[in-house]
Amino acid sequence: MQSIQLIVFLPLLAAIIAGLGNKALGNVPAKIVTTGALFVSCALSWPIFLSYVAGHAEPSVAPVLHWLSSGSFNAAWELRVDALTAVMLVVVTSVSALVHLYSWGYMDEEPDQPRFFAYLSLFTFAMLMLVTANNLLQMFFGWEGVGLASYLLIGFWFRKPSASAAAIKAFVVNRVGDLGFMLGIFGTYLVFDTISIPDILAAAPGMAGSTIGFLGHRFDTMTVLCLLLFVGACGKSAQLGLHTWLPDAMEGPTPVSALIHAATMVTAGVFMVCRLSPMFETSETAMHVVTYVGAATCLFAATVGTTQTDIKRVIAYSTCSQLGYMFFAAGVGAYGAAMFHLFTHAFFKALLFLGAGSVIHAMHHEQDMRYYGALRKEIPVTFWAMTAGTLAITGVGIPGTLFGFAGFFSKDSILESAYAAGGPGTTAFLIGVFAALLTSFYSWRLVFLTFFGAPRWAGSEHIQHAVHDAHGHDDHAHDAHHDHHHGHDGTAGYHPHESPLNMLVPLVVLSLGAVLAGILFHGAFIDPEGGAHFWEASTLAFNEHLMHASHGVPLWVKWSPFAVMATGLTIAYMAYIRHTDWPAKFTAHFHVLYDFLLNKWYFDELYNAIFVKPAFAIGRFFWKRGDEGTIDRFGPNGMAALVVAGGRVTRRLQSGYLYTYALVMLLGLAAAVTWAITQS
């Protein structure tokens, strides 16, 4: 079990070395230490995963140290390894290692590279702590660790106001979700008298039907606990209501976007629900809530993604939508399908984000797709990589065969399972199919706007000014980058260029995952027999009956995802290749709908009116009226004023004449004698 300890703690050791060494250590040594540690962790993770796929491994626990003990409360620091952990180990370490390597090229001109790479490794360590947790306190430690690291990474360019604001927003919104998660942990300990995950899951069925007091009323115990825990999942995995931080996280460097949105932080909520799936299975209400919230998020994010023009924000909303698929899969009991989509999604979403970073790098940090076009011949490797990612996320494949990209196997399994589950699953299926159509449309829209059509970048005045503005608000290294390519007057033309090899290698590797992950591993995750054998070595509640039912759904159900994928592709092709005037005509005719989607259903404006402005008003009131008007006025400022006034009075007594002082002494002596006589 020494390998699991190396997998988890090597990134921490690398983060400490790079973080403390910083500029004294130097850029290259810091990158070598952190990247090397992640590739070692990745190399150690894959054999563990493959051993579970082959059925040659059993769950195990590696003790680290005795952590906390108080009365009946006991929290040991242990690293749990089972099939569920093994999936997350390869996802986290693989994507993180490739992001580290990619960052060698993308952040090459960044002067503060050791700090950046230290944050990346710290993030990875926190996520590894989360997925190897054997008790809820350890899971919470990793949960908060990824929240802290994401705050540091999103706000890495802290001189940029929008980046600092996005980091604060992510931190605050996640604190709302974490409050629910903490209450869920407290309630779970109250009910089960333990925070050990295996003990809780073993005892959970026995608590079905019991009630607990909450907010002055009696409710079903397991429903309350599961819903509180799910609130935490909504915050971390950006489900509807607590999703607003996710698109703004794009203010961080692109490798950060890939790491947060592909493999780590945003999948923590899905992992937690699947890890505690035997708890959720005891509450039908909680399962229905998870289903409906996931389906609503899937629809919301897909609709918003159709209107975005920032290449990274389009992919960010697609992440939000894909997470919705994972949650409604878990809500209908298809936990294997949820984890399979998490697994495949990590590869093609990391590929899309890093591919977008390569496009941005080629276009000198311009992110607006309206000023791209005809880039497939300029950056061919990036083009083919992003095409592979798009084929995967849109679910291209032929039902009933083994031909298909990664998303075809996992997303289709989710939709078929939802249909087979019936009830809320039927609603989720219909929403999921419609969202698949929108996914196909906005994904191919991105490809067509970026790589096809006429070039909209050569000699564009907008591009020059946009690039100048972007660099002017970015870090010093990017200002130098701008000067190098455009001249100090910002008017010289430029030509898109392919990314360096250390950025292209991760794209090629992730492309292989986007193409082959579904073909190679669908049997272990979602096959009724193979899945039952694979997930038996974990805490996940694999529903073999549902998987059998999902394979037997009507033919039209199996072909629905393919039909909507082709429809979305056709619409995008017609609108952005054949008839490029269609989008403008559509938005002019349906401007109310377009503005509604462009403004993200006005969630930010609504929250700003309901929460942000009142919070600022209350804070301003306590600051001006409470702190300054009351505490300072009658406290330190009031006492200071009293001393000053007293000083003015006593200063008048200092006349400098001897008889004045003698009179004061005489009066004081008389007062003292009088007091003594009266006391006696």
Side-chain angles (χ1 to χ4, degrees), residues 115 277 356 435 535:
R115 179 167 66 93
S277 53
W535 293 117

Side-chain angles (χ1 to χ4, degrees), residues 527-572:
D527 182 73
E529 288 76 24
H533 185 64
F534 177 67
W535 293 117
E536 185 181 12
S538 74
T539 62
L540 185 139
F542 183 77
N543 190 332
E544 189 175 350
H545 173 74
L546 180 60
M547 286 298 101
H548 272 294
S550 69
H551 285 69
V553 295
L555 202 59
W556 70 267
V557 173
K558 292 180 178 290
W559 279 92
S560 293
F562 179 88
V564 296
M565 177 275 299
T567 303
L569 168 60
T570 302
I571 295 172

Side-chain angles (χ1 to χ4, degrees), residues 144-507:
E144 294 302 298
V146 293
L148 169 64
S150 67
Y151 169 79
L152 297 173
L153 286 166
I154 294 169
F156 177 76
W157 287 322
F158 55 86
R159 296 183 186 90
K160 187 179 177 184
S162 57
S164 297
I168 293 172
K169 186 176 183 179
F171 197 81
V172 171
V173 173
N174 273 276
R175 296 291 70 72
V176 176
D178 292 350
L179 174 61
F181 191 46
M182 286 189 290
L183 291 175
I185 293 174
F186 298 156
T188 301
Y189 175 70
L190 177 68
V191 170
F192 294 99
D193 197 33
T194 180
I195 58 170
S196 169
I197 292 175
D199 293 344
I200 292 169
L201 299 185
M207 295 303 300
S210 64
T211 61
I212 188 174
F214 183 67
L215 300 177
H217 300 277
R218 303 294 296 184
F219 297 98
D220 180 78
T221 301
M222 298 309 296
T223 298
V224 170
L225 297 182
C226 291
L227 290 180
L228 287 173
L229 293 169
F230 181 61
V231 170
C234 286
K236 200 65 71 183
S237 294
Q239 293 302 282
L240 191 65
L242 295 177
H243 66 279
T244 54
W245 68 269
L246 191 70
D248 288 15
M250 297 299 98
E251 293 293 338
T254 299
V256 173
S257 304
L259 192 60
I260 292 176
H261 294 74
T264 50
M265 180 170 166
V266 294
T267 60
V270 179
F271 167 79
M272 184 266 287
V273 171
C274 291
R275 170 64 83 196
L276 303 179
S277 53
M279 282 184 67
F280 282 82
E281 286 288 309
T282 62
S283 171
E284 184 180 37
T285 301
M287 296 285 281
H288 288 177
V289 170
V290 173
T291 302
Y292 285 124
V293 170
T297 305
C298 183
L299 176 64
F300 157 76
T303 59
V304 175
T306 61
T307 62
Q308 300 302 300
T309 56
D310 184 310
I311 188 171
K312 287 173 64 177
R313 284 181 179 267
V314 173
I315 303 173
Y317 277 107
S318 83
T319 296
C320 194
S321 182
Q322 298 305 307
L323 289 166
Y325 278 105
M326 299 176 206
F327 273 110
F328 80 65
V332 300
Y335 303 104
M339 286 303 300
F340 189 31
H341 199 50
L342 185 156
F343 178 77
T344 61
H345 176 264
F347 294 106
F348 61 71
K349 188 51 61 68
L351 173 61
L352 289 171
F353 266 116
L354 296 185
S358 184
V359 172
I360 295 167
H361 182 270
M363 296 301 293
H364 300 256
H365 299 272
E366 172 60 48
Q367 295 182 196
D368 194 326
M369 298 185 299
R370 293 173 295 183
Y371 302 97
Y372 289 167
L375 291 177
R376 67 186 186 280
K377 295 180 181 178
E378 311 296 335
I379 47 175
V381 177
T382 301
F383 163 67
W384 285 111
M386 289 203 71
T387 300
T390 303
L391 291 168
I393 194 173
T394 56
V396 173
I398 300 177
T401 71
L402 288 179
F403 172 76
F405 292 83
F408 162 74
F409 290 94
S410 56
K411 187 159 67 175
D412 282 25
S413 176
I414 288 175
L415 293 172
E416 291 164 9
S417 299
Y419 179 86
T426 304
T427 303
F429 166 77
L430 295 174
I431 291 175
V433 168
F434 180 64
L437 185 151
L438 298 178
T439 300
S440 180
F441 169 74
Y442 67 66
S443 297
W444 289 111
R445 169 179 175 262
L446 183 153
V447 171
F448 295 145
L449 281 175
T450 303
F451 298 106
F452 292 85
R456 299 179 296 277
W457 40 266
S460 168
E461 181 181 355
H462 166 88
I463 260 297
Q464 302 300 335
H465 289 297
V467 171
H468 178 74
D469 289 342
H471 294 302
H473 291 88
D474 218 331
D475 217 276
H476 300 300
H478 300 286
D479 290 335
H481 183 66
H482 171 262
D483 290 340
H484 174 73
H485 287 281
H486 305 282
H488 292 283
D489 61 355
T491 59
Y494 66 87
H495 196 78
H497 56 90
E498 187 63 276
S499 299
L501 193 62
N502 47 24
M503 292 175 64
L504 296 180
V505 168
L507 295 183

